[in-house]
Amino acid sequence: MSAEQPGDGLVRTAYLVKRLELAVRARLDAAVRPHGLTTAQYTALTALRGVPGMSSAQLARRSFVSPQTMQELIANLERRGLVARAPSPANRRVLGIGLTEQGEAELRRLDHEVDEIENEMLADLDAEQVEALRQALRLCTQRLTTHGTGRP
């Protein structure tokens, strides 16, 4: 039995996805740590770049952390000047979170390193395979979050 094959010799897709997640996470940790960030903080910053003004609860869902963890994470990023909170135009009782100029600059500094990680990960695939992989991952995620017990 190889290290890749749990139990009965069947290599489960979920197992392979988890191994990839752990490998990517280790590389991301190493890339963002010198910038004084955690992978969770980096994930939150990139989510805010894509959808500025999210609430803390929305950002927690998109960043794969609990709301309590997100509150701590945002407080830390706010202290560092990477994000700012302001009342949401849609609901003044909700604070929307956005990147500051400093937060945008920090992400730009990290873009190259993260691109290198992704390029290395995908180096053995051609453009068609990369797009097929992305589409397959989107469909699998959508299936589990809309038909299962996962969170959207």
Side-chain angles (χ1 to χ4, degrees):
M1 174 174 26
S2 83
E4 263 193 18
Q5 298 180 356
D8 62 359
L10 171 70
V11 178
R12 296 200 178 274
T13 303
Y15 177 76
L16 294 173
V17 169
K18 183 63 176 179
R19 287 196 62 200
L20 176 58
E21 175 196 6
L22 292 173
V24 169
R25 176 68 184 257
R27 296 292 299 274
L28 280 175
D29 286 344
V32 302
R33 188 177 304 115
H35 296 265
L37 295 171
T38 65
T39 298
Q41 289 171 325
Y42 172 77
T43 301
L45 291 172
T46 58
L48 287 170
R49 177 163 52 186
V51 184
M54 281 189 276
S55 70
S56 183
Q58 291 168 320
L59 188 55
R61 284 190 295 277
R62 286 188 176 237
S63 300
F64 315 108
V65 299
S66 71
Q68 297 81 5
T69 298
M70 183 53 66
Q71 287 295 339
E72 293 172 25
L73 194 146
I74 291 302
N76 184 286
L77 292 173
E78 194 170 34
R79 276 191 300 278
R80 291 190 53 198
L82 301 177
V83 300
R85 295 186 249 199
S88 168
N91 181 347
R92 305 300 283 170
R93 293 180 293 169
V94 173
L95 292 177
I97 305 161
L99 293 175
T100 62
E101 286 184 27
Q102 188 177 341
E104 290 275 2
E106 190 65 40
L107 280 178
R108 282 192 302 274
R109 281 190 286 276
L110 282 164
D111 281 341
H112 179 71
E113 290 179 63
V114 176
D115 286 346
E116 283 183 358
I117 293 167
E118 187 163 312
N119 289 339
E120 184 178 345
M121 176 182 72
L122 300 171
D124 295 326
L125 305 177
D126 63 32
E128 189 175 299
Q129 290 172 314
V130 170
E131 187 50 39
L133 174 63
R134 288 178 176 155
Q135 183 60 20
L137 292 171
R138 283 184 202 104
L139 289 171
C140 291
T141 302
Q142 181 180 1
R143 169 60 65 173
L144 290 179
T145 57
T146 59
H147 295 94
T149 59
R151 296 184 315 210

